[in-house]
Amino acid sequence: MRYIIIGAGAVGGTVGGRLAEAGHEVVLVARGAQYAALRDGGLRLRVPEGELTHRLPVVEGPAGLGVLRADDVLVLAVKTQDTEGALDAWGPAPVEGGGTAAERLPLLCAQNGVEGQRVALRRFRQVYGVCVWLPATFVEPGLVSAAGSPLTGILHLGVYPHGTDETARRIAADLEKSRFEAPVVPDLARWQYAKLLSNLANAVEAVAGPVDGEEAQALVERVQAEGVAVLEAAGIAYTSPEEQREVRGDKITLLPLDDAPRGGGSSWQSLTRGTGTIEADYLNGEIALLGRLHGVPTPLNDLLQRLANAYARERKEAGSMPVGELVRLADEAVTAVEKQRSGDQRSGDQRSGK
C-alpha cells in the first residue's frame, strides 16, 4: 500500500517519516512554506535516535499525482477545521480502473476530536478513525520533532462508526513495523472520547501557557469535569484513566531533543504558527454542543472555545493571558450560569404557583 499523508505537519510528518523509514511508500501533501521546504530539503524528522532526512514525493494536491492507485491509503492529518477543504480536493480524485477516491479508497482520520470522521463519511465510503496518542511538534517548515521512546506513538484504529476489517489490520501491521503500536479495536469511539476529555486542556494551554501549576491544573480538572458530565448525560462511553494507563504503560517516554523543545500541544502550536485558526470548535466546542443537546450547562468550555477562537483570529501570542485572569473569567462564567438557572427556577415556580 502507498500512504498519502494529507497534512504533513507534526502528526502527519511523523507518521509519514516513520512509515518511510520502515520501507513503506509514502507521499506527503503540504502547502505554502511547508510544501517548499519538503520539496527542496526533504522531511527532517528529529527523534531520539537523531535527525533523519526523508526525501519523499511531495505534492500540493491530487493533481500532482495524476490518477491515484488502487492500493493508495489516504491519511487525513489536517486539523479538523481544514477537513472540508481536504475532502473537497481529494474525494473526486480519479483512481486507476475507474471511480474516485471517495468511492474506492480507505481514508484514515488521524485527527483530534470526533467530528472529522463524521464529516468524512458524508463523502467517503471507507472511513477509519484513529485515536492519536503521538507527542510531536512542528518546529519549522520541513522540520518535525517526535520525542517519544521506545515507541513514537500509539494509534488505535477502527472502522468508523464501529467495527474492524482486514484493511484496518493491514494498515496496523505497517504502523507496527514503523515504531508505533496500533491496536485495532471495534469500539474506537471509547478511546476517542477519552482523548477528547484530555484535549479539553489544549485551550487552557493555548491561552494561558503550560498547565504545570496548581491553579492551572485545578482549572483543567473543572473543565474536564464538565466534559465528563456531558458525556454521561449523553450516554457516551469512554475509556477510564486506569484502562488508558494499563494500555500505554511506559511505552512512550519523552526524551529531550537538541534544538527541538517539545513546546505545547496542537492548539498552542496553531497560535505559535499564526495560522489564524484553531481546533477549539471541535474540542471544547464538542462538549458545548453535547451540553446544549442534553441540557447540561458548559460555561467553562464555552469560555475556552470563545477565547481560543479570539486568540487565533486576532493572532495573539500563545500563553499570553495570566492564568489567574483566566481563572477569574472562568469563575465569572460559572457564576453567571448559576444565577441564570436560579432565576429561571424562580420564574418557573411563580408560573406554577409554588
Side-chain angles (χ1 to χ4, degrees), residues 10-11 76-81 83 109-118 129-136 155 191-203 205 262 264-270 278-284 286:
V11 169
L76 188 64
V78 299
K79 296 291 198 318
T80 304
Q81 64 267 27
T83 296
C109 294
Q111 301 170 294
N112 284 333
V114 296
E115 183 65 14
Q117 57 205 7
R118 184 173 181 271
V130 184
C131 182
V132 179
W133 191 263
L134 171 54
L155 308 173
W191 291 92
Q192 291 180 314
Y193 277 103
K195 178 76 185 310
L196 173 65
L197 290 175
S198 69
N199 283 147
L200 298 180
N202 286 21
E205 179 185 59
R262 167 72 177 102
S266 55
S267 297
W268 183 90
Q269 291 181 49
S270 291
I278 200 167
E279 58 191 338
D281 285 348
Y282 304 99
L283 301 178
N284 308 91
E286 182 70 26

Side-chain angles (χ1 to χ4, degrees), residues 121-134:
L121 198 61
R122 294 179 183 273
R123 317 280 190 90
F124 278 74
R125 293 179 181 175
Q126 301 177 65
V127 175
Y128 297 81
V130 184
C131 182
V132 179
W133 191 263
L134 171 54

